[in-house]
Amino acid sequence: MQTLIRSMSAKKYIALAAHERCKNTLVSWAFDNRTALARHTLFATRATGNLIQRATGIHVSKMLSGPLGGDQQIGSLIAEGKIDVLIFFWDPLGNFPHSCDVKALLRLATAWNIPIASNETTANFLLQSPLFEQQVRIAIPGEAMS
């Protein structure tokens, strides 16, 4: 597959989502990291975005709820090159009716070569990486731009 290079600016566009049993963990993580997150632009599925915005005071652009298309909206933004990082705290032990949407979202994030954090530890590693605050060049699918 042919690839192209895309630049992520130092100010990242971050998508946040969480399964129901993981929402409190994500909200706590966002609160603990609110100073760093405030330097970036945040997107989230509806309920998660409302909780994060309330807890941190940071504006969050909200999509639909995940099961009603919010995961797909975030996937669309990824495919348009408008999301740089996906932080999705998902429940590996749960069975969800919209699991195909979640799988599609994770597939798109992987195909578009953006960092994905699926839990608090990985999110901390991402946020604390020196690359997080820098402009970074990444390879993306070349056919997307033809």
Side-chain angles (χ1 to χ4, degrees):
M1 175 173 67
Q2 179 186 359
T3 61
L4 297 173
I5 301 298
R6 171 174 90 84
S7 287
M8 285 186 201
S9 68
K11 179 179 180 176
K12 304 292 187 277
Y13 294 86
I14 304 169
L16 302 159
H19 280 149
E20 198 60 42
R21 292 196 316 204
C22 301
K23 284 190 193 313
N24 289 338
T25 304
L26 181 58
V27 171
S28 293
W29 177 86
F31 180 81
D32 291 344
N33 292 285
R34 65 191 177 281
T35 302
L37 291 173
R39 294 190 292 267
H40 303 281
T41 301
L42 305 181
F43 297 82
T45 50
R46 182 158 319 275
T48 302
N50 285 331
L51 292 169
I52 289 171
Q53 187 167 308
R54 238 179 278 138
T56 65
I58 301 169
H59 172 74
V60 179
S61 295
K62 290 171 266 318
M63 309 290 113
L64 297 170
S65 96
L68 295 178
D71 296 332
Q72 292 178 340
Q73 287 178 301
I74 289 173
S76 176
L77 291 173
I78 290 170
E80 293 173 24
K82 296 178 181 176
I83 295 292
D84 298 316
V85 175
L86 173 62
I87 298 175
F88 189 163
F89 287 10
W90 59 278
D91 180 359
L93 303 177
N95 188 12
F96 302 93
H98 70 290
S99 61
C100 57
D101 296 334
V102 173
K103 184 177 179 180
L105 175 59
L106 295 172
R107 184 186 59 76
L108 279 169
T110 301
W112 282 87
N113 199 24
I114 67 167
I116 306 166
S118 60
N119 57 47
E120 189 174 4
T121 302
T122 309
N124 285 332
F125 271 73
L126 277 177
L127 201 61
Q128 294 170 18
S129 166
L131 295 174
F132 203 85
E133 300 292 336
Q134 298 176 18
Q135 181 175 1
V136 178
R137 293 166 52 87
I138 63 168
I140 61 170
E143 66 188 51
M145 306 311 268
S146 2

